[in-house]
Each structure stands twice: as structure tokens, then as C-alpha cells.
Amino acid sequence: KNAQPSVNLFDLVDDIEENNNSYNTPTTNNKMPTETILPGFEDEEENVDSQDYREENHNIQNDNNYMPNNNNYVPNTQSLQYTQSQNIDFTRLFTSDKKAVAFVGTSKNGTSFLVNNLADVISQSGIKTAILDLTKNKNAYYIYTENEEELRKKAYSCIDNLRRGNPVGINVSRNLDVYTTLPGENADINDAQNIMQTLINNYSLVLLDCDFDTNIEYFRIVQEIYLVQSMDVLTMQPLTAFLRNLQSKNILRQEKLKIVINKSVKIKSVSVKRLIDGISNYNDPSMTYMKNLFDPERIAYCEVPLEIPNYIKYLDSMINCSISLNGYTKPLMMALKQLTGMVYPLINRQT
């Protein structure tokens, strides 16, 4: 193998000072405030129409598993039936330069914002990257299909193709592909093992955009789980309930967990360390039961600042269906640099 020049992931921001607080560990405090509500980067939620996208009793007349029908696409009911693989050894698939990580958080905390922009940063550095949209709302479907019929067709069939071992997603740039599908239920996407096997075999980095309805098998497969939390403490309980569910199924591991405090601002009544301490414990809503989830003193975290210009710029990106780093502030680019170093720290690589 021929040695290649090292890939510098951090050329996007010149002369940025190192943030010495990137991996500070939190201290434990006793109480959390009862109400703190902040605006910020919100995931774009779509009100999914209740009509069934998969109309029954349709004659399929092509070989691509879709057909136009009032701008919706109907599945080919004659397509192959699959048997999920149950015993794939993913430890052998994850080589020294391959990673798969999941991002998950309560709605409105900006999980998709982080995944989309992080993918842009890393792919521009020459790392072959894939986004797998596992959210119920399928935000990536609306963003990356750009309201174009051909891209909608590709989105409709790309999950089925992954199950077959065929990585044909929506190509965003030279090193970035997106895999999504129509909003709503999709049984194919639950075939986590076949889907992840195909992605890991064909990409250096796989970013999973998840919510609390995502099949838990994905969280078992990935190497790291990034918990996305804002300063809004009212969104914390659903996250801890989700973690408690993973813990009960023996999936939750301290070494897999990292935290991203998104939309971070200075608040007198709650610090970042105090917030992380609160995430580390599950409290039953009736306050009759409490369970420790992880050691807050041993978890790595980073902060992504809340800045109104960035919020406006991202909203504009949603309208134009185009994710771009151009126009973001220097503090945000510094935060993305930090997060890049956590997600994909492989700077010197060989081909």
C-alpha cells in the first residue's frame, strides 16, 4: 500500500485556538432547575400526511420498485422478500479507518442540524461519508431530494438497495451520500444488520440520524452514541427514559457514550456540568424511582454555541434545500472542529 499525505480535517478555520474545555468532565450537583426554555436550532418537523404512501392493488410496470402516482411512489409488491442476517460480526468490519456513530436527542434539540453539517465538514476533508436517516419524520428526504422527481425516486429505493448490498444513495458531493426514504413506516429500514453491513463496507464514516423510535439494533451496532441535549432541561427526561430503555436491553455502555450540548448559552441557574449530571440519571416522572445511567465524571462532551446568525443561515438552507458551511460564524466552526475530532479523529491515514 502506498502512503498518502495526511488529511487535515481542520483547514476550514485558520488559526483557531485550542479550546481547553472541550473534554472537561462534569461535577455532580444536587438539583436541577425546573424550567428553562430557550429558542435555538430546531429540527424541521414535517406534518406527515396521514394518507398511505403505499397504495394497495397497484400494477407495477417498471423494474425500479417505484412508479409515479400523483408525486407519490408506490412500492413494488413483487420485490424480493428478505431474511434478516442475525449474526454478522461487525467487529471485523470496523477496520482502523472505519467508524459508525449514532446521533440521538429529543425533538427540537438540533440532532439533524449537527449530523448534516458534520457530514459536510468531514466529507470536504476527503473522507467518504454516508448519512443514514433513521428518524420518523425523515428530514433528510425533504432536504436532499431538492424537490426533484429523480432524487425522490432514488430516495424511495435506496434503503431496499442497501439491504441487497447495493449502496446507491442520493449523491450530495464527491464524498457524501445520503440514504433516506419517504416519511412514515418502512419495514425495510428495520433490517439493521444488512443495511449497516453494506454501509460499513463502502464508507469510511457512517453517520446515523436517529430518534427515540429508531430500531435499537442500530445502537447495538454503532461504535459510539452521541447524546444531543440543549439547555432546555424540559427535554431531558425523554432522553434519560430512552437511555434507560437501552440499559434494560443491555445495549448502554459507558465507553460508547458522548454528549453534545447544542445551542449552548451561559445561564446562571444551570451549568453544562450540572446539565450532564442530570442526564446521567433516570428519574421516574412520579419521582419514586431513580436509576444511574453512566458516570458523568468519565464522559467526553463538547458544546455547540447558540448564535442567531447561524440559526437564520440554517433556516435559509432548509428553504433552499442546500446544506453549506459558508456563512457560519467562527465560534460555530470551532465547535464543529471539536466535534469532528471526537467523531473521526483519524488524521493520518493510508490507502
Side-chain angles (χ1 to χ4, degrees):
K1 299 181 180 179
N2 297 323
Q4 298 294 320
S6 60
V7 177
N8 188 345
L9 299 179
F10 310 135
D11 281 342
L12 295 172
V13 183
D14 294 328
D15 302 324
I16 297 176
E17 295 182 356
E18 289 296 322
N19 187 336
N20 294 326
N21 296 323
S22 300
Y23 294 91
N24 288 343
T25 52
T27 57
T28 304
N29 289 280
N30 296 326
K31 297 181 180 179
M32 294 292 295
T34 58
E35 184 173 0
T36 306
I37 304 175
L38 295 173
F41 298 117
E42 296 183 354
D43 289 336
E44 296 294 317
E45 284 197 346
E46 297 289 342
N47 294 323
V48 179
D49 195 306
S50 60
Q51 94 171 55
D52 188 353
Y53 286 98
R54 303 181 175 190
E55 299 175 11
E56 299 179 354
N57 302 320
H58 239 284
N59 295 322
I60 309 302
Q61 300 179 355
N62 57 50
D63 296 327
N64 295 321
N65 295 328
Y66 56 77
M67 62 176 292
N69 181 36
N70 296 329
N71 295 325
N72 296 324
Y73 297 97
V74 182
N76 186 345
T77 56
Q78 305 300 320
S79 62
L80 294 176
Q81 298 298 315
Y82 298 90
T83 301
Q84 271 199 62
S85 301
Q86 299 295 335
N87 299 307
I88 297 174
D89 185 0
F90 283 94
T91 60
R92 294 186 177 183
L93 297 181
F94 287 121
T95 58
S96 60
D97 64 342
K98 287 181 178 288
K99 283 193 72 175
V101 302
F103 281 74
V104 63
T106 311
S107 177
K108 303 298 183 181
N109 277 351
T111 305
S112 295
F113 168 82
L114 293 173
V115 170
N116 294 335
N117 286 286
L118 186 64
D120 199 7
V121 172
I122 296 178
S123 63
Q124 285 189 29
S125 301
I127 308 302
K128 194 172 183 182
T129 306
I131 295 175
L132 177 60
D133 182 6
L134 298 171
T135 63
K136 188 173 183 179
N137 290 333
K138 298 293 183 296
N139 293 328
Y141 174 81
Y142 297 101
I143 298 171
Y144 292 104
T145 57
E146 301 178 7
N147 202 29
E148 294 183 7
E149 183 177 357
E150 289 303 315
L151 293 179
R152 288 197 296 267
K153 292 178 181 179
K154 184 171 288 188
Y156 186 80
S157 61
C158 68
I159 300 300
D160 180 65
N161 280 325
L162 284 177
R163 297 187 66 185
R164 298 171 181 264
N166 187 20
V168 182
I170 299 172
N171 181 247
V172 179
S173 63
R174 180 179 178 183
N175 294 305
L176 177 59
D177 295 321
V178 174
Y179 295 85
T180 185
T181 187
L182 292 173
E185 297 298 326
N186 186 329
D188 286 347
I189 211 164
N190 288 321
D191 187 1
Q193 296 219 359
N194 283 326
I195 288 172
M196 289 300 295
Q197 182 183 39
T198 302
L199 289 171
I200 294 167
N201 283 336
N202 290 277
Y203 295 91
S204 295
L205 176 64
V206 183
L207 298 172
L208 280 62
D209 187 0
C210 305
D211 58 24
F212 301 149
D213 293 319
T214 298
N215 189 318
I216 63 171
E217 182 65 16
Y218 287 101
F219 298 103
R220 190 190 307 275
I221 293 171
V222 296
Q223 295 157 299
E224 294 173 351
I225 302 173
Y226 286 77
L227 311 177
V228 180
Q229 177 62 46
S230 71
M231 303 299 289
D232 182 356
V233 298
L234 297 182
T235 65
M236 190 164 57
Q237 202 280 335
L239 176 60
T240 59
F242 168 76
L243 295 177
R244 178 67 185 96
N245 182 45
L246 293 185
Q247 187 182 62
S248 69
K249 293 176 171 58
N250 202 29
I251 296 176
L252 196 66
R253 295 283 187 273
Q254 172 88 35
E255 60 273 15
K256 292 179 70 168
L257 296 180
K258 295 185 179 182
I259 292 178
V260 182
I261 303 299
N262 195 27
K263 302 181 287 183
S264 177
V265 293
K266 292 183 178 180
I267 301 177
K268 184 178 181 180
S269 58
V270 57
S271 66
V272 169
K273 294 181 180 180
R274 193 175 182 186
L275 193 66
I276 294 174
D277 186 59
I279 300 172
S280 69
N281 293 284
Y282 168 73
N283 289 281
D284 181 78
S286 64
M287 301 303 290
T288 58
Y289 173 80
M290 184 176 75
K291 180 68 175 178
N292 180 257
L293 300 169
F294 58 84
D295 182 359
E297 302 289 340
R298 295 174 48 230
I299 195 164
Y301 72 92
C302 71
E303 300 178 54
V304 178
L306 169 63
E307 296 177 299
I308 297 302
N310 295 325
Y311 178 49
I312 295 173
K313 190 266 179 186
Y314 185 66
L315 291 179
D316 186 63
S317 297
M318 297 301 96
I319 295 171
N320 294 306
C321 299
S322 176
I323 302 297
S324 171
L325 299 170
N326 295 331
Y328 283 138
T329 64
K330 191 172 182 178
L332 176 58
M333 294 303 300
M334 290 174 62
L336 291 175
K337 167 191 170 179
Q338 286 182 340
L339 188 55
T340 297
M342 294 170 69
V343 171
Y344 199 82
L346 308 178
I347 308 302
N348 296 315
R349 303 172 62 234
Q350 287 185 335
T351 58

